Amino acid sequence: METALVLSTIARALAFSTPLLWAALGEIVAERSGVVNLGVEGMMILGALTGFIVAQSSGDPWLGLVAAAATGAAAALLHAFFAVILRANQYVSGLALTIFGLGLSGLIGRGWVGRPLRNAMEYVSLPFLVDIPVVGPVLFDHQYALTWWGLIVAVALWFVLQHTRIGLIVRTVGENPAAADAAGVPVLRVRIAAVVFGGVMAGIAGGFLSLAYRPSWGQGMTNGLGWIALAMAIFALWDPLRAIFAALLFGAFFTLSFSLQDRFPPQLLTMMPYLFTILALTLTSLRKGDRSFGAPEALGEPYARGER
Amino acid sequence: MIGRYKLERRGHAGPALVWGVSLAAVIVAMLLTGALFALFGVAPLAAFATLVDRTILDARGLSEVVRRAIPLMLAGVGLTLAFKARFWNIGAEGQLLIGAVAASGVALFSGLSGPLLAPAMFAAGFAAGALWGLGPALLKVRLGVNEIITTLMLNYVAIYLVRWLINGPWKGSSLSGFAYSDRFDPAAQLPTIGTTRLHWPTLTLAILAAILVAWLLARTRFGFEVRMMGESPEAARYAGVDFFRTTLALVLVSAGAAGLAGVGEVAGIHHRLVDPGSLSVGYGYTAIIVALLARKNPLGALVTALFLGWIAASGDVMQVALRLPSQITGVTQGLVLLCIIGSEPFLRYRLTRVPAAAGPTGLAPGGEAARGGETS
Amino acid sequence: MRTILLALLSLLVASSATAQDDPLKVAFIYVGPVGDYGFSYAHDLGRQALQEHFGDQIETVYVESVPEPEVEPFIDQLVADGADVIFGTSFGFGDGILAAAQRYPDVIFGWGTGIARAPNVLTYMADFYQVYYLNGLIAGALSTSDTLGYVAAFPIPEVKRHIDGFALGAREVNPDAEVQVRWLYSWFDPAGAKEATEALMAAGADVLAFTEDTPTVIQTAAERGHPSFSHYASMVEFSPETVVSGQLVHWDTIYIDIVEKVLDGTYTSTNLEDVDYFWLLEHGAVELGAEPGVPVAPAFIDDLEAVVLDHPEFGEIDVYDLVLRRNAQMTEGREVFDPFAGPLVDRNGNEVYAEGYLPTIDDLVGLEFAVPGVVGPWDNEPE
């Protein structure tokens, strides 16, 4: 009986973690380049709305996903303009976008509430994996394509960040922008690109919600997932592979808060991931010598040539 | 650089400029809001006239504006202190909730009654809020852990803690099973002005807090150290400022102030512990806007808190009298924030003409050793 | 002299004419957005029907997404705009309504799902427990795993009544049926509803019901082909093949009754202290079905007719017939049949209602126990 619980928890964790993973991966890239984006929630919900509108009107959920990604990118461009070009306070800029995004999406979305998406994204079944005894039917049958794509993107991002020149550039811009600048790297442009990438990912995360997970539109349907993704990016110590683990952990706690309801008060279980994040940050700070655990040095600081 | 002009870092932005630019930002935000009204078929000028009529010229309406400003004032003042030292306390929301929890605990279970009860509640709320900020403060000074994340995470912990309490151990026996605590003893209910909901003891506390913090910052060694930590950490280190103690002290005050805001809400408005979404309609986050709009000036925070309280109160009028959708308030708040951010460059930089000889290398002459991104 | 008299007369006529022409201003305060497709949406449908019914005699307005502690300033605004009757549709509005009612003694207030009244405050409620009982009959017949799932919002008496009603119905058809409950602690939580449904299905539930403000449970259950029951508003289109029935509310019946009595003077702002509506099937305030006029989706009728019982009251009867019979009985009145009528024992073995005892409305309003067959956490359960 317990194996069934473990397997179904993993399966549900995979599903629930999908939007978290996508959004967190985007945030990781942005923060690796030195820019904090507190606007993830706003970008997610705007992505969810436009994705739904386009998919509902066109009948094609994947087209909706493209629209969601584009919306996320547009919102991120605004954040990049304020935070990177105008060098305003990054935290405030992101926060403003979230507040604005939530309100705007509610406003525009009024006409689209209450109808199911007529053509939602379907479940996929992974061909050989699903035949694995015991594990196969539970884990590999009933998931969305975006779940698996998210995992692939995470691994790809890890590879790019760690082992390619582009990754090195992004990381240097985040660690030591002055040195990067001196080496001829267009710091501002790299940061803008990283932030926009983050927006695309957040948009996709939002699109997943309204096109697959819960195919419809409702005001505030992201329900704080963007903030969780933010926490996750840090909990994962800015590493895409750890982000997978972090996302699954958050997802597992969430689904366990329902399946273990007769044994634990659900609120205490739902609290856990947030406490875990603080724990993770504390533990890594304790290992001061190990550079690979730290936040990008220049995180949160706008860069201007010639200024300290 | 744009053609023959370049952006040069300003030395220091005088108060006149600061207020002028802030005011301009607010005006631009209002203009954009007016445009939004027009989009919904509501004549902007008439709309603003109605807003002013109902929220400022009407006694009851004005009381609502002030009432909403009270928690923003308390939390906002606390945040000005924290932000001055560049301790980014994003956790005011959680600290507010914890203060409410402590106050509710005292009201429901301490056995105290009479005139001792309310002060005890405020003391407990302050202490609880302060404690909630203690963790992130310690983690930052001792281990360098990013306080934005730790304070943000504790917001969620606080939310779930309140939910657990009102659904579980503290669920009231008198409300046919609904998720609220029992009603407080009348001694725990703060007096209000007339029949309005303006709980003036908390308002008084807020004003006193602002004055206290302003005095601390301007006239004490502690305040001087706080400001130095914020403006120039290296100089502060040289000068032997005890980062540990100073940070701890300022965070305790900042978080405690937010806790007081929470006490005000349960003791002044709800008279019981209610669910987090009703207890705080995002006060902790709005307080961030309050503090930043006031350029981290505690007395200024009183004014900006009133302004944001006015926006919230106007939201009601907009829905009822102007028949605008309920989401307008959030959009307006976002616009105000965005305009504030957009106005920042005007404070930090000025356009100067480049003399013909200088080449476009973009290196600013003699930039001060200042951190990017802040003013005062 | 004559001209003056004539002028005065015409003035009198004119003023009395306008007094009669002044439509009654009725305002509605919703706790959620009208587009929530659930609770507030249903109230708004009631408002629209009300407006249509009375035409020019009344003028309705509404405000939505009002946080519970903010209801008073909204009431102030509505009264400033001339509201004569104000309906607050959420339990949490109570404090604000009662306080405002004291300040505006000439305005009539209605506290939806409320529990306390005043000279100018009446309470009203449309309850589903009978309909959930009927849903339970259907669920018990359709389930092959003997496990039913229920995604519930808060452990308050209203929701407990629903779950108990559902379980009583299920057990009447299938004595082995079990109702697994999962709590969301929220009225609106789409992600939570989805995960709770998945958890229930993993625990074996193959028919699902819920009390939550989104159609998520229906969509999630449909992914595995499991039947479910629509809640509050017609949610059929979210899964036409798997929604078998549900609960529908007709707030307009109550609103029309109240406004009629206001217009003809039966209700004034001083005599509402004892006016409490707890309306059920017999008043037409609630209805069995996922869409009006269709108690059971046609695709499922055969399945229900295939289950034949040896019923203590009706003898040999198939479930579809049973559902219709019980519906008719309860529409006649609670005394004819009520699922909670004694003898009733809770799941811990305590006798809650003795033989022959028909629980009063007050009993039901304060219901806290769980009936046999209900499995899962149950806050505030009597020992």
Side-chain angles (χ1 to χ4, degrees):
Chain A
M1 195 53 225
E2 291 307 327
T3 19
L5 180 63
V6 169
L7 285 177
S8 72
T9 303
I10 298 177
R12 292 319 309 157
L14 270 170
F16 183 75
S17 69
T18 305
L20 295 178
L21 185 60
W22 280 91
L25 289 174
E27 183 66 16
I28 286 176
V29 170
E31 293 199 5
R32 279 287 189 134
S33 81
V35 183
V36 178
N37 178 12
L38 291 186
V40 180
E41 178 91 2
M43 294 173 198
M44 268 180 80
I45 198 149
L46 284 170
L49 179 63
T50 40
F52 182 78
I53 292 178
V54 170
Q56 188 76 306
S57 321
S58 70
D60 183 356
W62 293 98
L63 193 63
L65 194 67
V66 171
T71 312
L77 208 53
L78 199 62
H79 176 58
F81 174 67
F82 281 122
V84 179
I85 298 183
L86 287 187
R87 290 176 233 149
N89 185 312
Q90 296 178 2
Y91 303 101
V92 177
S93 166
L95 194 63
L97 271 176
T98 291
I99 295 176
F100 186 67
L102 285 170
L104 191 67
S105 63
L107 207 57
I108 298 179
R110 285 169 72 82
W112 296 89
V113 192
R115 302 259 97 78
L117 185 62
R118 41 194 184 102
N119 243 342
M121 287 190 182
E122 313 241 307
Y123 281 134
V124 297
S125 191
L126 298 188
F128 301 102
L129 296 169
V130 78
D131 294 321
I132 303 177
V134 180
V135 177
V138 181
L139 289 184
F140 299 109
D141 190 21
H142 210 61
Q143 300 285 1
Y144 297 105
L146 277 176
T147 306
W148 304 121
W149 277 113
L151 295 174
I152 295 174
V153 170
V155 174
L157 266 180
W158 166 79
F159 185 78
V160 168
L161 276 175
Q162 288 301 125
H163 297 291
T164 68
R165 187 161 173 274
I166 294 182
L168 182 62
I169 290 177
V170 170
R171 282 186 291 129
T172 321
V173 163
E175 299 285 349
N176 193 341
D181 192 10
V185 171
V187 171
L188 295 191
R189 249 175 269 178
V190 170
R191 282 188 167 178
I192 294 175
V195 171
V196 170
F197 177 78
V200 167
M201 301 291 276
I204 292 178
F208 172 78
L209 287 179
S210 67
L211 299 170
Y213 192 75
R214 232 226 93 197
S216 58
W217 163 257
Q219 182 173 328
M221 73 182 296
T222 48
N223 232 353
L225 286 176
W227 293 107
I228 301 179
L230 206 62
M232 257 183 53
I234 297 172
F235 179 47
L237 306 169
W238 301 274
D239 172 30
L241 288 183
R242 286 207 193 91
I244 300 177
F245 167 70
L248 285 175
L249 191 70
F250 272 84
F253 271 111
F254 193 71
T255 166
L256 282 174
S257 75
F258 290 108
S259 31
L260 293 184
Q261 224 174 54
D262 40 5
R263 285 177 253 180
F264 295 105
Q267 297 91 352
L268 294 183
L269 280 176
T270 335
M271 229 192 250
M272 287 295 125
Y274 304 100
L275 290 172
F276 268 45
T277 307
I278 299 179
L279 194 64
L281 280 179
T282 313
L283 287 176
T284 67
S285 297
L286 282 171
R287 301 150 94 150
K288 274 195 202 144
D290 197 335
R291 277 267 69 234
S292 66
F293 277 144
E297 266 300 300
L299 184 60
E301 304 294 344
Y303 175 69
R305 179 180 297 160
E307 289 177 18
R308 271 266 281 102
Chain B
M1 264 227 321
I2 315 146
R4 306 281 309 236
Y5 294 86
K6 75 169 152 61
L7 283 177
E8 186 181 75
R9 200 171 171 80
R10 216 185 270 277
H12 174 70
L17 184 66
V18 169
W19 283 105
V21 169
S22 305
L23 199 62
V26 166
I27 292 177
V28 171
M30 292 294 107
L31 285 173
L32 289 171
T33 310
L36 207 56
F37 288 169
L39 229 73
F40 278 92
V42 175
L45 278 178
F48 279 112
T50 315
L51 288 181
V52 169
D53 186 51
R54 297 267 185 116
T55 59
I56 301 181
L57 299 181
D58 175 70
R60 187 156 211 104
L62 190 59
S63 78
E64 275 298 306
V65 172
V66 179
R67 175 191 70 87
R68 287 175 142 107
I70 295 176
L72 295 178
M73 286 178 185
L74 273 168
V77 165
L79 287 181
T80 58
L81 184 62
F83 289 175
K84 268 266 201 260
R86 302 178 88 238
F87 184 91
W88 300 109
N89 179 10
I90 310 290
E93 184 86 356
Q95 291 143 16
L96 189 156
L97 289 173
I98 291 297
V101 167
S104 305
V106 167
L108 293 169
F109 306 115
S110 70
L112 286 173
S113 61
L116 281 177
L117 193 47
M121 287 166 72
F122 275 108
F126 182 86
L131 277 170
W132 207 244
L134 186 64
L138 281 173
L139 286 175
K140 171 156 190 190
V141 285
R142 273 277 170 266
L143 297 176
V145 178
N146 185 317
E147 72 275 20
I148 296 182
I149 298 301
T150 46
T151 52
L152 181 66
M153 292 297 103
L154 285 180
N155 284 347
Y156 286 99
V157 177
I159 289 176
Y160 289 114
L161 184 68
V162 175
R163 282 204 197 144
W164 171 65
L165 285 172
I166 58 176
N167 277 290
W170 286 11
K171 185 191 273 207
S173 49
S174 50
L175 252 90
S176 52
F178 274 89
Y180 309 111
S181 75
D182 279 323
R183 212 184 169 85
F184 295 168
D185 190 87
Q189 301 180 19
L190 296 175
T192 60
I193 297 184
T195 55
T196 69
R197 301 206 292 165
L198 223 187
H199 43 113
W200 53 266
T202 330
L203 177 61
T204 323
L205 261 180
I207 299 177
L208 288 175
I211 297 175
L212 178 68
V213 171
W215 173 78
L216 277 176
L217 281 172
R219 295 247 185 267
T220 65
R221 184 193 164 77
F222 169 69
F224 178 67
E225 291 181 348
V226 166
R227 283 183 287 128
M228 218 188 343
M229 276 171 59
E231 280 164 38
S232 177
E234 290 75 31
R237 256 176 262 271
Y238 263 147
V241 170
D242 185 345
F243 270 65
F244 183 74
R245 257 191 3 190
T246 315
T247 305
L248 234 55
L250 68 91
V251 171
L252 288 179
V253 173
S254 170
L260 288 176
V263 178
E265 290 305 290
V266 283
I269 308 277
H270 306 287
H271 308 141
R272 50 166 65 100
L273 188 63
V274 294
D275 73 280
S278 302
L279 194 49
S280 168
V281 281
Y283 289 132
Y285 297 110
T286 315
I288 298 175
I289 307 179
V290 167
L292 290 173
L293 187 55
R295 310 286 170 192
K296 308 178 203 166
N297 177 323
L299 292 170
L302 292 177
V303 175
T304 53
L306 279 169
F307 173 60
L308 281 153
W310 175 75
I311 293 187
S314 301
D316 300 349
V317 178
M318 286 196 259
Q319 257 214 78
V320 178
L322 304 178
R323 315 298 315 142
L324 285 167
S326 52
Q327 297 88 352
I328 281 274
T329 322
V331 174
T332 310
Q333 277 187 338
L335 278 176
V336 170
L337 250 191
L338 288 171
C339 288
I340 298 172
I341 301 170
S343 73
E344 279 233 334
F346 291 100
L347 286 173
R348 253 181 303 118
Y349 300 96
R350 56 168 175 248
L351 226 46
T352 57
R353 205 190 180 98
V354 178
T361 48
L363 283 174
E368 317 82 43
R371 308 299 244 132
E374 306 315 319
T375 34
S376 70
Chain C
M1 194 54 196
R2 245 183 32 151
T3 32
I4 298 176
L5 277 175
L6 218 58
L8 279 174
L9 200 64
S10 48
L11 208 65
L12 206 65
V13 171
S15 63
S16 64
T18 33
Q20 261 162 295
D21 285 348
D22 252 352
L24 187 75
K25 246 189 145 168
V26 183
F28 290 79
I29 306 180
Y30 305 139
V31 69
V34 165
D36 72 356
Y37 223 67
F39 186 76
S40 301
Y41 173 70
H43 278 284
D44 201 57
L45 285 179
R47 179 192 64 83
Q48 292 171 28
L50 178 73
Q51 178 76 77
E52 223 185 275
H53 184 95
F54 287 105
D56 291 330
Q57 286 186 286
I58 68 171
E59 190 185 307
T60 62
V61 293
Y62 73 86
V63 280
E64 57 176 1
S65 298
V66 175
E68 286 169 1
E70 304 300 320
V71 71
E72 257 191 272
F74 276 95
I75 293 179
D76 291 331
Q77 295 298 326
L78 290 167
V79 173
D81 264 1
D84 301 301
V85 180
I86 299 183
F87 290 111
T89 58
S90 165
F91 181 83
F93 289 153
D95 280 348
I97 291 180
L98 289 170
Q102 290 191 316
R103 294 190 282 112
Y104 301 115
D106 295 328
V107 177
I108 292 178
F109 292 88
W111 180 13
T113 74
I115 55 175
R117 286 165 290 283
N120 58 342
V121 181
L122 56 79
T123 51
Y124 63 98
M125 173 67 173
D127 198 82
F128 283 138
Y129 79 87
Q130 299 168 322
V131 186
Y132 269 104
Y133 160 79
L134 294 170
N135 289 166
L137 293 174
I138 298 173
L142 291 178
S143 170
T144 46
S145 67
D146 292 344
T147 309
L148 310 175
Y150 198 109
V151 177
F154 286 102
I156 55 174
E158 178 189 338
V159 180
K160 289 184 176 181
R161 274 199 301 280
H162 298 171
I163 302 175
D164 283 346
F166 189 67
L168 288 169
R171 283 229 153 175
E172 191 169 318
V173 166
N174 177 357
D176 298 321
E178 227 179 52
V179 177
Q180 289 268 357
V181 185
R182 294 288 178 270
W183 302 94
L184 296 176
Y185 291 96
S186 165
W187 294 107
F188 174 82
D189 185 0
K194 176 154 179 133
E195 293 310 320
T197 312
E198 292 282 355
L200 283 169
M201 294 193 294
D206 62 354
V207 182
L208 290 120
F210 61 100
T211 303
E212 188 254 343
D213 277 346
T214 71
T216 309
V217 174
I218 294 180
Q219 287 179 303
T220 312
E223 282 165 4
R224 295 195 202 259
H226 291 323
S228 53
F229 295 94
S230 163
H231 173 64
Y232 236 93
S234 171
M235 295 175 170
V236 175
E237 68 177 298
F238 283 85
S239 177
E241 289 104 47
T242 62
V243 176
V244 49
S245 180
Q247 324 92 38
L248 290 166
V249 67
H250 297 290
W251 288 111
D252 53 315
T253 55
I254 297 181
Y255 288 134
I256 290 177
D257 190 81
I258 295 177
V259 172
E260 207 162 85
K261 296 199 163 86
V262 170
L263 284 174
D264 71 22
T266 318
Y267 289 158
T268 69
S269 61
T270 52
N271 64 359
L272 302 178
E273 195 92 48
D274 295 313
V275 176
D276 177 35
Y277 290 71
F278 192 82
W279 276 21
L280 304 160
L281 279 173
E282 62 189 87
H283 309 96
V286 293
E287 183 185 337
L288 171 70
E291 46 184 336
V294 182
V296 176
F300 289 92
I301 296 183
D302 286 338
D303 297 323
L304 292 177
E305 283 177 342
V307 180
V308 181
L309 309 167
D310 191 10
H311 196 274
E313 195 175 319
F314 300 114
E316 199 174 295
I317 183 172
D318 69 66
V319 173
Y320 183 63
D321 243 349
L322 179 61
V323 169
L324 295 178
R325 289 268 203 116
R326 287 297 197 205
N327 198 359
Q329 282 184 315
M330 294 191 286
T331 309
E332 263 185 71
R334 292 186 64 226
E335 334 72 57
V336 180
F337 173 72
D338 191 288
F340 286 109
L344 188 62
V345 175
D346 75 12
R347 71 173 180 178
N348 294 328
N350 310 315
E351 183 187 77
V352 273
Y353 300 136
E355 170 112 34
Y357 179 71
L358 179 66
T360 64
I361 300 296
D362 276 339
D363 287 332
L364 293 178
V365 168
L367 194 152
E368 293 283 3
F369 58 83
V371 297
V374 174
V375 177
W378 197 263
D379 288 347
N380 265 13
E381 186 166 7
E383 293 304 302

